[in-house]
Every structure is written in structure tokens, then in C-alpha cells.
Amino acid sequence: MGSLGPYQRKHRVAVIGSGNWGTAIAKIVAENTASNPAIFEKDVQMWVFEEKVEIAKDSRHYNASSPLCQGPQNLTDIINTVHENVKYLPGITLPENLHANPSVVDAVKDSTILVFNLPHQFIIKTCEQIKGKIVPYARGISCIKGVDVNEEGISLFSETIGKILGIYCGALSGANIASEVAQEKWSESSIAYDPPHLDSKAPSPNRSPSASSENLVHFEHKDVSGQLSQVKLQALPSEFPPVDHAVLKSLFHRPYFHIRVVNDVAGVSLGGALKNVVAVAAGWVVGMGWGDNAKAAIMRVGLLEMVKFGEKFFGATIETRTFTEESAGVADLITSCSGGRNFRCAKLSVERKQSIEEVEETELNGQKLQGTLTAIEVNNFLKKQGMEDEFPLLTAVYRVLTGAMSVEDIPSFIER
Amino acid sequence: MGSLGPYQRKHRVAVIGSGNWGTAIAKIVAENTASNPAIFEKDVQMWVFEEKVEIAKDSRHYNASSPLCQGPQNLTDIINTVHENVKYLPGITLPENLHANPSVVDAVKDSTILVFNLPHQFIIKTCEQIKGKIVPYARGISCIKGVDVNEEGISLFSETIGKILGIYCGALSGANIASEVAQEKWSESSIAYDPPHLDSKAPSPNRSPSASSENLVHFEHKDVSGQLSQVKLQALPSEFPPVDHAVLKSLFHRPYFHIRVVNDVAGVSLGGALKNVVAVAAGWVVGMGWGDNAKAAIMRVGLLEMVKFGEKFFGATIETRTFTEESAGVADLITSCSGGRNFRCAKLSVERKQSIEEVEETELNGQKLQGTLTAIEVNNFLKKQGMEDEFPLLTAVYRVLTGAMSVEDIPSFIER
């Protein structure tokens, strides 16, 4: 594997975002940069949105005489001193080569691999902040779950990031509850990465490079609305190990976090969005007391509709087997329908005979479930395409949410 | 659909077996013969292995003055009087057109559709009993879960039945916990039925009819060991509605029991066997406290190996999507890994630090788990084929059962 041979330069990695999933991923990345010194710089920067945090008196880090324990302190200072994200991933020791940085611009400068792990409402703003201030030949991986669906079409967060920054960005998604990953309980995840052929060994048939120069590759990309965009990418200088599937595996794979790298960015991203809608339906039927057979039936139909949705709206760029074989597909669906918050709240709403809004109020302090938001967005899109009938389960979830039908009607509604 | 047109004769249906699943299926069949009088005779015979049963004093059927309550009575008499299988499916009222019959020969005579639902150790003996005493152009459906695996090869129960009786036999399997189906909780199931072309509208490419006469069709069948058999089937007289997918759906589909009919008998049968092995592994990792991510990972790898096993050993006669799209595949796997006995006992064995045998002793009165039996049979077969390495999860289950490795080793063992 050429990527593991000797190169003059190494990749520097930055993680943008430090919530519980962001910090769990940063921990993995820093462990791997330390154990792969031929490929990566050891030190990893993690951008932390700065806030004041007080170390609790019952914390293992509390020490009355420490300056860190004299009232609220910067979260970055705490992380860099005690090597723990006490606010968002308490109880987990972070590697010492992981450095919290309150400046996103400073965190990403000189980094050739950027790992994005932000709440999606902050993606655009954060990318605008660092635009033009990153290494022009950097490559990205988005660990942000889901896709952006509106009436007009579906866009991938990885594509949004790539377009704003003018870089190629892949995606990581899988059956990953952050706290379990942070505790090093064994799990799996999927990375999708399919850059134009300057980087990759085997060019994907879904890309059409139209011209290339010494360090620029142009390629065409058609999004779901049919819009064709010309993207210019700067090639990675040859002193660096190429960012290929093997290098990405070295960066994310751990004995407790097994990675499979595929090409299908749309499939990996879509699974993480649609599974939440299916989890809502699964929660409802379990709430009805219909048992495991009924839940399995909902999941089976949900998986079928996920595959069909991908095939209809992403065509040849998507692979069916991403949904049926990869962690980001069937495994993430299973986890979400086991105990995820969408499943749990939907189940409660039936058991308590409350609306989803009421459950969101009492269980999530009014925060909205991702599954109900996605169900509404997806329905707006399907309606516009005149395709509600072809996705009876996705449509049923929307209809139950809006009161147009009841959970009892789901079996006959999806019987086609 | 020709099958729903007017025919001079109707199908008579018999159910062979009356355990909890047999009785639940018989209930469905009798409901459907009653509601499809153009196709089926209303009365359904169910063979019941006769035994003496006493109606308990706290039963809703207890009546001190009734002759049925004067000590132990024939189970068939009880079923035919109170319309409940008080021993194997208590609490469920059966249709009055379902008749318990203690003579298997009498139950099947004149029946053109035979539904088999027996513990597998009784299949051969029962078929030998009725051989030559059935309608020669009868068709069968086996509701017996699983397949018969030994060192030499894999045989389908439906094929065993078909060969002994000289009839064509399809299979029904799905995410079906018998008690939930009996209570009319919504679920789904798969029927696989792919007879030679005399019966079916669209001949399957997997069959090679080599000759046909007015009422006989010969077709070739190659089993997993490569053995080619010539099968002669008697064609159904034209006075009967052809036994096709539509007629089978009319016989098994209910508002609470949704049926999809496919051609892939091997896929539908294989799913019901291998999922039990996967459920054992899933139980172990949950017992370890590794959480939902790890369980989903086991199920994902298990599904992959189920698909691969089918492709390797059944070749072109199997369809990948049976595993990923049908109730008998992914949905049955999900149900079995949710709360089935294989999952539950494996989980207990880790939690209590006991061997599976010890758990079988305390939880199942020493009865063996299907998943552990199948794991051993499948491993003998894989070893003989020199293919253990290609099925690391199936092999890992065997190795843990025999003490050759521990559950902790599973993640690294299946990491390929």
C-alpha cells in the first residue's frame, strides 16, 4: 500500500467541534495519530466553542487549591489541563496529544485533514469563518449525522462543507452511540470517501473529471435537483501520503471502533437521516403493545424505503448494499430502533396517549426529535415530487404526526 | 388473476401439526378458507397428536357437570368442543370450521393443500405414514423453521417433504412469535413457492423441466451437494384453481398477518436457521454489557454471512434480497435478536458466567437451544468445505461454544 510508504511530510489533523460525539471522535483520532507516526503528526487540534465551566466539588478533578477550581474557567483550559471534556464527555480521559483550541481559525491552520463534528445549524457559519484560511489541498470528513432535506432537494452536509471550503469532504456514520464509543465498548462505523481521481487509486465511475492540470482537478457533480456543478479541487502535494481509504482507516479504526471504508457518500449520509423516521414508527408500534414481530416488520419496510429513496433520488451514485451491508445502514437502523431517543419518545407518546410535542416538552425540554423533523421535511419533498404513495411508511409517519391518521392504521396503510 | 375465476372444484386444506405455531397457522388458514369460498372448502382438518388433557378448574371452559371435565379427555375432543387448543395455545378461540383429527391419514385424505407444521424430528416419520394416501396432485407448504444441515450438505425441510410424498412443497417463514400471531398482533411473513411450470404462470429460471405429459411434469433439481434429482410431479387437474402465489396469499394473508410470496425457497428457509446462530452471538455481547452498538454490529455481520452462505452453497437458486428485504430474512433476524430464547439464554450465560449447557439446564429443562445446535452443524459442514475462515461470525460462535475462544475475542476475530 503506497500510502504507508515513506513520505516527506505528514498529515496534520484538526477536529472541528467538541460535543459528546465530537470529543469521542477526537479521542479516537488522537489515539491513531499517536500510533501511526509515519502518516500523521502526533498533535491533534480540537476546536472548542469557548464557554465558562465550573468543576463540580464532587468531580475527581476538584482540588480546592488549584487555580482551575476557583470559580468558572475556560472549557479549553480545563480540557488541556485535566484531559477531560468535563462538560460534554465527563468521565472519559482524553489523550494528551489532543489540544483544545478556542479559535477555529487557529485550530485548522496547517491541517491537511479536517474532521467536522458540529450541530448542523452551525455548519455554514463555521465553514464561512475558516474559508480561505485552510490549507487549499486539505481533505475533510464530516461526522455530522443525516442530510439536509427541503422541498427542492436533498443535500449532503459533506457536500455543503466541500462547496464552501473548496475541498473534497467525505462522511462517517454508523451505529454509534457516542457515550458507548467513548467508553471503548466495541462498535463499528462506515466512512464514505470518493474523491476525484487525483487522490484516489481507483477512480469512481460516478465522477467525470473533465480536465486536470498539475495540481487542479475539475470534476462535475450533479446534485439531486439535477443541478450540475463544476468543482475545482487542488491536488495534494506528492510529499504527503495520499488521502485514500487506507489512510482514513488508519485515522479512525481502533480495536474497539471498527471501520469499513466505502465510496458511497450519499448512501452513508442518507441512512443516518431516514433511520430516525423509521425509529419513530417502531416506537409507536411497540408503544401499542404489538410486540417484536410488529417492530421487526416496521424496520423491514423502513429499510426497503431507505433503499428505494436512495435509488430514486440519488440514482447511480448510490449503492443498495450500503443500506443492507454497512454499519451506516442496517446497523444504525437497528441501534436507533433499540433505544434511541426517537424510538423512546414515540413509544412514550402512545403509552401516555400524548402527542409527540407533549413528550418532547416533558422528556426533551421542548427540543424537537430529529425523526419528526426529518419526517416533515421528507414529506414536503416527496409531495413536491408527487411520490408520497411510493413511500407508504415515510408518509404514514408524517400523517400520524399531523393527525391525518392513527397508529392503528399503519399496517393497512403500508400493505401494498 | 385466473386463480380467482370460477372453477368447478375447490381446494381442501389440511394442517399437519398442532403445537402453538401449528395451531396459530391453522387458525389463520381456517379464517381464510371461510372468507374465500370461491377457492377453498370451508372446513379445515388439523392433525393433532392425540393425548389426554385435563381441563383445569380455573379454566374458562371448566364446568363441573360437563363430561369434558370428568378427568383427562382426548385433546381432539376438547379442541372440537370448546374450540381452543387448551394445551398448546391456551386463551385463543379457534374458528369453528377448524376440526381436530387424531388420524393423520384421515386428516390429509382428499386435501389438495397440505400445510406442515411439525417439530422437525417428526417430519420423516409423519410423511412416511401418509405417503401414498394423499391426493397425488396435492401441493405442500412447510411452516417448519430452519433447514437440515449435516457434514455432507444442507437440505430443506420442504424438499424432504416433497421428495417423500412426491409432491411440490414450498415454505413459510418470517418474524413470527406464535403467541403474538395467535393474539392477532400485526406481523408479516414470507412464503416461498416456486413449483415447476405446470402450476405457475411464470416459470422460474432455476428449474429445468425436461419433459411433460398431460398430467406429469419432470424437473431437475440440484441440491447443495451437487446431487441431481429428477422429480416427477402430477399436474393439478384443471377443475381446480391453480395453486399460485395469489391463491397462497388468499390462504395465509390476514389483516394482522401480512404475506409476501416470493420464489426463493432456499433463502426463506435458510434465514430461519442461521438467524438463531447470530442471536446467540448477539446475546453474548449484550450480556457483556457492550450495548446496542455492539449488538447491531453482530447483527450486521450476521446478515452478511447469511447472504454469503446462501450465495456460496445455493448459488443461482437463492436471491440476496430474500435476506435483506423479506420478513424471513432481516425481520426474523431482528425479532430473534430482540427477545428470542437463543438471545436470552446466551445473554444469561455471560451474565451468570455459566456455560450454555448450564443455562439450558436451568432455563429450558435441559432442552437444547436451536442456535447452538445449528452452530455446531453448520461448523461441521463449513469445516468439511474448508470454509470456516470465510464465515468468521458463524465460526466464532462455534469456537466460543467449544471453549476454543472467549466472547471478548469475537470483535477481533470477525475483523477482516
Side-chain angles (χ1 to χ4, degrees):
Chain A
M1 286 192 287
S3 60
L4 301 175
Y7 288 88
Q8 291 151 273
R9 299 182 65 184
K10 300 175 183 187
H11 289 290
R12 182 185 290 266
V13 186
V15 178
I16 298 134
S18 53
N20 69 335
W21 185 221
T23 309
I25 281 288
K27 170 177 174 288
I28 287 171
V29 162
E31 286 166 359
N32 278 329
T33 58
S35 52
N36 291 284
I39 312 173
F40 305 110
E41 303 274 355
K42 185 174 180 185
D43 286 340
V44 171
Q45 294 288 320
M46 172 172 74
W47 173 54
V48 174
F49 182 84
E50 191 68 284
E51 55 188 299
K52 294 287 183 187
V53 171
E54 197 159 4
I55 294 183
K57 286 219 166 80
D58 59 356
S59 161
R60 61 178 171 146
H61 303 298
Y62 187 79
N63 172 350
S65 63
S66 158
L68 217 56
C69 300
Q70 314 307 317
Q73 306 290 325
N74 288 334
L75 179 55
T76 53
D77 291 333
I78 297 174
I79 293 173
N80 289 332
T81 310
V82 304
H83 304 292
E84 179 179 317
N85 186 337
V86 295
K87 174 131 190 202
Y88 296 107
L89 198 62
I92 303 295
T93 301
L94 301 173
E96 299 199 2
N97 58 321
L98 179 65
H99 304 282
N101 191 328
S103 160
V104 67
V105 171
D106 191 64
V108 300
K109 79 167 195 290
D110 305 329
S111 288
T112 49
I113 298 181
L114 306 176
V115 179
F116 293 87
N117 213 329
L118 298 159
H120 37 77
Q121 60 272 31
F122 300 127
I123 297 171
I124 293 177
K125 188 181 154 209
T126 307
C127 286
E128 294 290 357
Q129 275 181 280
I130 60 174
K131 186 179 172 176
K133 293 166 184 164
I134 60 169
V135 173
Y137 47 80
R139 299 292 178 257
I141 292 291
S142 161
C143 304
I144 303 155
K145 273 271 169 104
V147 298
D148 189 14
V149 188
N150 61 48
E151 246 180 58
E152 302 307 322
I154 300 141
S155 53
L156 308 181
F157 295 134
S158 55
E159 285 184 354
T160 305
I161 292 167
K163 270 187 206 165
I164 298 176
L165 299 179
I167 65 171
Y168 178 80
C169 186
L172 178 149
S173 184
N176 305 132
I177 297 164
S179 58
E180 294 184 4
V181 174
Q183 290 168 62
E184 305 191 0
K185 290 182 176 178
W186 172 60
S187 71
E188 297 184 319
S189 200
S190 309
I191 290 176
Y193 193 78
D194 185 27
H197 74 295
L198 262 198
D199 281 13
S200 65
K201 308 278 185 217
S204 154
N206 302 328
R207 306 286 188 182
S208 337
S210 55
S212 71
S213 71
E214 204 185 341
N215 66 354
L216 273 185
V217 60
H218 302 239
F219 72 106
E220 290 184 346
H221 173 76
K222 202 188 225 173
D223 70 16
V224 67
S225 60
Q227 216 189 336
L228 196 70
S229 45
Q230 279 273 350
V231 182
K232 283 186 215 177
L233 278 192
Q234 191 146 357
L236 197 69
S238 58
E239 306 96 73
F240 285 98
V243 181
D244 58 13
H245 286 190
V247 162
L248 291 172
K249 191 162 176 176
S250 314
L251 186 56
F252 289 98
H253 188 90
R254 296 295 297 161
Y256 61 85
F257 192 64
H258 288 191
I259 292 287
R260 290 178 24 132
V261 194
V262 297
N263 287 324
D264 181 9
V265 183
V268 161
S269 306
L270 200 55
L274 296 181
K275 55 123 195 183
N276 290 325
V277 183
V278 183
V280 169
W284 283 334
V285 307
V286 172
M288 296 293 288
W290 292 353
D292 286 337
N293 295 345
K295 177 175 157 183
I298 289 288
M299 292 167 72
R300 184 194 73 79
V301 176
L303 185 60
L304 273 183
E305 292 194 16
M306 285 163 64
V307 169
K308 189 173 179 182
F309 194 97
E311 287 171 349
K312 282 268 180 204
F313 303 118
F314 290 84
T317 64
I318 216 157
E319 296 198 54
T320 300
R321 63 179 186 202
T322 305
F323 298 101
T324 57
E325 296 188 2
E326 301 304 330
S327 181
V330 61
D332 196 15
L333 174 68
I334 290 169
T335 302
S336 301
C337 293
S338 294
R341 52 155 58 179
N342 292 287
F343 172 81
R344 202 166 39 81
C345 290
K347 181 166 169 277
L348 283 176
S349 93
V350 170
E351 287 170 350
R352 298 180 182 167
K353 300 190 202 308
Q354 290 180 336
S355 70
I356 286 277
E357 290 79 14
E358 288 172 293
V359 177
E360 285 168 341
E361 206 55 62
T362 54
E363 299 296 308
L364 308 173
N365 286 317
Q367 207 190 328
K368 293 282 167 198
L369 284 174
Q370 199 54 51
T372 60
L373 291 172
T374 304
I376 293 164
E377 291 166 358
V378 164
N379 187 264
N380 289 341
F381 171 73
L382 288 176
K383 227 178 240 148
K384 180 100 175 188
Q385 309 281 325
M387 289 208 192
E388 274 184 292
D389 285 355
E390 300 200 36
F391 296 90
L393 181 65
L394 296 176
T395 302
V397 172
Y398 172 80
R399 289 173 60 93
V400 173
L401 286 173
T402 58
M405 62 183 262
S406 68
V407 175
E408 284 92 338
D409 302 327
I410 293 179
S412 62
F413 193 81
I414 65 176
E415 178 190 348
R416 315 243 173 143
Chain B
M1 286 194 286
S3 60
L4 302 175
Y7 288 88
Q8 291 150 272
R9 299 182 65 184
K10 301 175 183 186
H11 289 290
R12 182 186 290 263
V13 186
V15 178
I16 298 135
S18 53
N20 70 335
W21 185 221
T23 310
I25 281 288
K27 169 177 174 290
I28 288 171
V29 162
E31 286 166 1
N32 278 329
T33 57
S35 53
N36 290 284
I39 311 173
F40 305 110
E41 303 274 356
K42 186 173 178 185
D43 286 339
V44 172
Q45 294 288 319
M46 172 172 74
W47 174 53
V48 175
F49 182 83
E50 192 68 284
E51 55 187 300
K52 294 287 182 186
V53 171
E54 196 160 6
I55 293 182
K57 287 222 165 79
D58 59 355
S59 161
R60 61 177 171 144
H61 302 298
Y62 187 80
N63 174 349
S65 62
S66 158
L68 219 54
C69 299
Q70 313 310 317
Q73 305 290 324
N74 287 335
L75 179 55
T76 53
D77 291 332
I78 297 174
I79 293 174
N80 288 332
T81 310
V82 305
H83 304 292
E84 181 180 316
N85 186 337
V86 294
K87 173 131 190 203
Y88 295 105
L89 199 62
I92 303 296
T93 302
L94 302 174
E96 299 199 3
N97 59 322
L98 179 66
H99 304 282
N101 191 327
S103 158
V104 67
V105 172
D106 191 64
V108 299
K109 79 167 195 293
D110 304 329
S111 288
T112 48
I113 299 181
L114 306 176
V115 179
F116 293 87
N117 214 330
L118 298 160
H120 37 75
Q121 60 272 32
F122 300 129
I123 296 172
I124 293 178
K125 188 182 152 208
T126 308
C127 286
E128 295 289 356
Q129 276 182 280
I130 59 174
K131 186 179 171 178
K133 293 168 183 162
I134 60 169
V135 173
Y137 46 81
R139 298 293 179 257
I141 293 291
S142 160
C143 304
I144 303 156
K145 274 270 170 103
V147 296
D148 188 16
V149 188
N150 61 48
E151 247 181 56
E152 303 306 322
I154 300 142
S155 53
L156 309 181
F157 296 135
S158 54
E159 286 184 352
T160 305
I161 294 168
K163 270 188 207 165
I164 298 177
L165 299 180
I167 64 172
Y168 179 79
C169 186
L172 178 150
S173 184
N176 304 133
I177 297 164
S179 58
E180 293 184 5
V181 174
Q183 290 168 61
E184 305 190 2
K185 291 181 175 179
W186 172 61
S187 71
E188 296 184 320
S189 201
S190 309
I191 290 176
Y193 193 79
D194 185 27
H197 75 296
L198 262 199
D199 281 12
S200 65
K201 308 281 185 213
S204 154
N206 301 329
R207 304 288 187 183
S208 339
S210 55
S212 69
S213 70
E214 203 186 343
N215 66 354
L216 273 185
V217 60
H218 301 239
F219 73 107
E220 290 184 348
H221 174 75
K222 204 189 225 172
D223 71 16
V224 68
S225 61
Q227 216 190 337
L228 195 70
S229 42
Q230 280 273 350
V231 183
K232 283 185 214 175
L233 278 191
Q234 190 146 357
L236 197 70
S238 59
E239 307 95 74
F240 285 98
V243 180
D244 58 13
H245 286 190
V247 161
L248 290 172
K249 192 162 175 176
S250 315
L251 186 57
F252 289 99
H253 188 89
R254 295 295 298 161
Y256 61 86
F257 191 65
H258 288 191
I259 293 288
R260 291 176 28 129
V261 194
V262 298
N263 287 324
D264 181 7
V265 182
V268 160
S269 307
L270 200 54
L274 297 180
K275 54 123 195 185
N276 290 325
V277 184
V278 183
V280 169
W284 283 334
V285 307
V286 172
M288 296 293 289
W290 292 352
D292 287 336
N293 294 345
K295 177 176 156 181
I298 290 289
M299 290 167 71
R300 183 193 75 77
V301 176
L303 185 59
L304 274 182
E305 293 194 13
M306 284 163 65
V307 169
K308 190 173 179 183
F309 194 95
E311 286 171 349
K312 283 268 179 202
F313 303 118
F314 289 85
T317 64
I318 216 157
E319 295 198 54
T320 300
R321 64 179 187 205
T322 304
F323 299 101
T324 59
E325 296 188 2
E326 301 303 332
S327 181
V330 62
D332 196 16
L333 175 67
I334 290 168
T335 302
S336 302
C337 294
S338 294
R341 53 157 54 181
N342 292 287
F343 173 81
R344 201 166 41 80
C345 290
K347 181 166 169 279
L348 283 176
S349 92
V350 171
E351 287 170 351
R352 298 181 182 166
K353 302 191 202 306
Q354 289 180 336
S355 70
I356 285 277
E357 289 78 16
E358 287 172 294
V359 177
E360 285 168 341
E361 206 53 61
T362 55
E363 298 297 308
L364 308 173
N365 285 318
Q367 208 190 329
K368 293 282 166 197
L369 284 174
Q370 199 54 51
T372 61
L373 291 174
T374 305
I376 294 165
E377 290 166 357
V378 164
N379 187 264
N380 289 342
F381 172 72
L382 288 175
K383 227 176 242 150
K384 179 100 176 187
Q385 309 282 323
M387 287 207 192
E388 275 185 290
D389 285 355
E390 300 200 38
F391 298 89
L393 181 64
L394 296 177
T395 302
V397 172
Y398 172 78
R399 289 172 60 90
V400 173
L401 286 174
T402 57
M405 61 182 265
S406 67
V407 175
E408 284 92 337
D409 302 327
I410 293 179
S412 62
F413 192 82
I414 66 174
E415 176 191 350
R416 316 247 171 139

